[in-house]
Amino acid sequence: MTTFRVAAAQFATGTDVAENLATTAAMLNTAADTGARVVVLPEVCNHLSVYDDADHAWAVAVDPEGTFVTSVRDVAADRGVW
């Protein structure tokens, strides 16, 4: 049987996307430091899920090839976590 450690990262997401990215990266690093191989992040860790209007929601929406996702992917890959 193969076993591995899973970390559930829970934190308050705000409206500052750069700050949320820094927090997400810190959570990935902390989880990796404790031996986690899989890290489960909050559902909407890029931006608080409250928007002024539809245009605002689109402005902060996550692009799968954008900075937020690629940065998270790169930190996870560098630290060997999924």
Side-chain angles (χ1 to χ4, degrees), residues 49-71:
S49 61
V50 175
Y51 311 102
D52 298 332
D53 53 34
D55 290 335
H56 181 224
W58 279 110
V60 297
V62 174
D63 176 352
E65 297 301 321
T67 302
F68 196 92
V69 173
T70 58
S71 296

Side-chain angles (χ1 to χ4, degrees), residues 6-77:
V6 176
Q10 187 64 41
F11 56 93
T13 303
T15 57
D16 184 327
V17 175
E19 183 178 324
N20 295 333
L21 178 55
T23 301
T24 300
M27 291 290 184
L28 288 169
N29 283 314
T30 298
D33 289 345
T34 64
R37 300 285 295 139
V38 174
V39 183
V40 180
L41 296 169
E43 178 180 0
V44 285
C45 59
N46 72 307
H47 190 279
L48 183 65
S49 61
V50 175
Y51 311 102
D52 298 332
D53 53 34
D55 290 335
H56 181 224
W58 279 110
V60 297
V62 174
D63 176 352
E65 297 301 321
T67 302
F68 196 92
V69 173
T70 58
S71 296
V72 170
R73 178 199 64 206
D74 291 347
V75 172

